[in-house]
Amino acid sequence: MPSYELSRCIVCSTAEADELLSAEDAKAEIEELWEYHQRRLDPAVPPNSLMDRVAFSQRAPLRLVRCCECGLVYRNPVERPMELDAIYREEGPDDAVLRALHETQRPAYDAQAARLTEIFGRRGSGIEVGSYVGAFLTAARDAGWQFAGVDVNAETNAFTRSLGFQVHDGTIESLEAERHVDVVAIWNCLDQLSDPAGAVRAARRHLSDGGMLAVRVPNGACYAAFRPLLRGPFAAVAREWLAQNNLLGFPYRYGFTPTAITRLVERNGMRVEAVFGDVLVPIADRWTKRWAALEERLVKRVIAAGARISTGDKPLAPWFEVYARVRETDSPSVG
Ligand SMILES: [Zn+2]
């Protein structure tokens, strides 16, 4: 059994927060998630292929709260960091499953690599934190970038190296200090780390002058907006919005908001250049029933449109990306 401790906002350090999801709500929401996916999947689906859909790496939250200052959604109480590390090191699906994940994720990363090139203004070198099955590394290579990976999971790293990439077993904090790159990218991963603030600080140390940090995270503001609607006349819409984007049951440690990320990067001598609201990479695969795959495509098109027009903390955007550049004249104010 994991052990838990009380937590506070990792961005503002304040303990002032509102309860968003009680322990009881959490259980009900997980059941709803299982029901949702069971209807949509071929009954013959092997357990391994449930990875990243219902069998998430993270345990379900006990209770979720939302910071009154920056809107960060976080677990309180939270698993102790040691336990979390153990979750990531234990896993090891076989190569066929990793290859299938790679293939499923690849198309969305092509769009992301193109977006990065456009916002950064040119191609260059980079490090991806949480490079996982190498879908982004491949997309970036094909787009003319030179990216290397960093990941705590040695088994998936072996698979990713087999695709021809340099991958460091460990964390951004454990990467050799003299390594400097144009871009540090943290896609779909900052929210799973035990110390995201430390990772952002470490990322900044590896950036060259004019370098850029690019992050993609689940939007706590979206979860906070749709979660209360699960009990009411708009329940079906809210369920679809959250479930299609892996927000139902909230399998993350943190739900950032654009406000929270902005505070984190500014504190580390960077300035936000772009915020982009988006949907999750496609989750349908060969085990998804045809109607469900079609529905996912249609629903995600609608949600993506909503994500792009939504302003402020982008409550209609289930996921968002922030691109922040190192300020020329500043060194990090917090070491
Ligand atoms: Zn906060």
Side-chain angles (χ1 to χ4, degrees), residues 190-261:
L190 194 67
D191 44 273
Q192 318 264 353
L193 301 178
S194 55
D195 180 16
V200 168
R201 207 154 53 226
R204 165 66 188 88
R205 286 199 297 268
H206 291 289
L207 286 174
S208 313
D209 289 344
M212 182 170 271
L213 173 68
V215 303
R216 179 182 173 92
V217 285
N219 191 358
C222 177
Y223 183 76
F226 282 88
R227 153 80 211 155
L229 303 180
L230 287 173
R231 304 282 169 269
F234 301 108
V237 173
R239 191 180 313 115
E240 198 74 20
W241 207 281
L242 295 175
Q244 290 286 3
N245 291 286
N246 280 359
L247 290 178
L248 196 65
F250 208 79
Y252 311 103
R253 274 205 133 190
Y254 299 101
F256 289 94
T257 61
T259 300
I261 294 284

Side-chain angles (χ1 to χ4, degrees), residues 63-125:
R63 179 175 173 267
L64 287 174
V65 299
R66 176 171 47 158
C67 172
C68 295
E69 279 190 36
C70 72
L72 181 80
V73 172
Y74 60 99
R75 297 163 173 222
N76 191 10
V78 67
E79 298 92 333
R80 288 180 196 279
M82 291 295 285
E83 310 282 347
L84 195 79
D85 225 32
I87 297 172
Y88 277 88
R89 285 168 206 272
E90 271 167 23
E91 294 175 354
D94 61 35
D95 268 23
V97 173
L98 298 178
R99 188 163 297 278
L101 277 172
H102 177 95
E103 297 303 329
T104 308
Q105 295 183 356
R106 179 61 209 280
Y109 278 125
D110 282 334
Q112 218 161 315
R115 203 149 54 235
L116 177 65
T117 308
E118 191 191 327
I119 296 171
F120 186 63
R122 63 175 173 87
R123 294 164 180 84
S125 60

Side-chain angles (χ1 to χ4, degrees), residues 278-290:
D278 201 13
V279 292
L280 183 76
V281 294
I283 55 175
D285 60 15
R286 54 187 283 242
W287 301 106
T288 308
K289 291 176 183 167
R290 277 165 79 130

Side-chain angles (χ1 to χ4, degrees), residues 8-14 16 66-72 74 260 263:
R8 50 178 59 219
C9 178
I10 54 153
V11 177
C12 315
S13 305
T14 176
E16 260 185 74
R66 176 171 47 158
C67 172
C68 295
E69 279 190 36
C70 72
L72 181 80
Y74 60 99
R263 287 188 185 189

Side-chain angles (χ1 to χ4, degrees), residues 40-335:
R40 311 172 69 85
L41 293 173
D42 182 332
V45 61
N48 263 350
S49 294
L50 285 171
M51 277 278 296
D52 282 0
R53 185 146 39 198
V54 266
F56 294 106
S57 309
Q58 294 285 328
R59 292 184 177 91
L62 268 189
R63 179 175 173 267
L64 287 174
V65 299
R66 176 171 47 158
C67 172
C68 295
E69 279 190 36
C70 72
L72 181 80
V73 172
Y74 60 99
R75 297 163 173 222
N76 191 10
V78 67
E79 298 92 333
R80 288 180 196 279
M82 291 295 285
E83 310 282 347
L84 195 79
D85 225 32
I87 297 172
Y88 277 88
R89 285 168 206 272
E90 271 167 23
E91 294 175 354
D94 61 35
D95 268 23
V97 173
L98 298 178
R99 188 163 297 278
L101 277 172
H102 177 95
E103 297 303 329
T104 308
Q105 295 183 356
R106 179 61 209 280
Y109 278 125
D110 282 334
Q112 218 161 315
R115 203 149 54 235
L116 177 65
T117 308
E118 191 191 327
I119 296 171
F120 186 63
R122 63 175 173 87
R123 294 164 180 84
S125 60
I127 295 168
E128 188 196 6
V129 179
S131 44
Y132 197 38
V133 292
F136 173 72
L137 294 183
T138 305
R141 179 169 62 190
D142 290 356
W145 287 83
Q146 285 174 296
F147 261 84
V150 176
D151 204 299
V152 293
N153 192 317
E155 279 193 57
T156 46
N157 289 353
F159 167 81
T160 302
R161 274 186 214 108
S162 77
L163 305 173
F165 295 104
Q166 188 192 76
V167 185
H168 170 81
D169 291 332
T171 63
I172 183 80
E173 288 94 333
S174 69
L175 200 64
E176 66 269 31
E178 58 283 356
R179 182 86 177 267
H180 287 91
V181 291
D182 296 314
V183 170
V184 173
I186 315 182
W187 310 127
N188 318 327
C189 166
L190 194 67
D191 44 273
Q192 318 264 353
L193 301 178
S194 55
D195 180 16
V200 168
R201 207 154 53 226
R204 165 66 188 88
R205 286 199 297 268
H206 291 289
L207 286 174
S208 313
D209 289 344
M212 182 170 271
L213 173 68
V215 303
R216 179 182 173 92
V217 285
N219 191 358
C222 177
Y223 183 76
F226 282 88
R227 153 80 211 155
L229 303 180
L230 287 173
R231 304 282 169 269
F234 301 108
V237 173
R239 191 180 313 115
E240 198 74 20
W241 207 281
L242 295 175
Q244 290 286 3
N245 291 286
N246 280 359
L247 290 178
L248 196 65
F250 208 79
Y252 311 103
R253 274 205 133 190
Y254 299 101
F256 289 94
T257 61
T259 300
I261 294 284
T262 300
R263 287 188 185 189
L264 261 186
V265 300
E266 284 182 350
R267 189 192 295 168
N268 287 283
M270 292 176 273
R271 182 183 294 119
V272 172
E273 277 193 7
V275 179
F276 178 77
D278 201 13
V279 292
L280 183 76
V281 294
I283 55 175
D285 60 15
R286 54 187 283 242
W287 301 106
T288 308
K289 291 176 183 167
R290 277 165 79 130
W291 67 263
L294 181 65
E295 185 187 78
E296 180 188 342
R297 275 211 297 282
L298 294 173
V299 166
K300 277 197 171 145
R301 215 168 286 167
V302 172
I303 298 177
R308 271 146 218 177
I309 56 167
S310 164
T311 56
D313 267 342
K314 296 189 171 288
L316 294 179
W319 289 71
F320 69 92
E321 295 168 9
V322 170
Y323 297 82
R325 203 182 288 267
V326 173
R327 280 195 301 250
E328 301 284 328
T329 51
D330 281 350
S331 53
S333 56
V334 177

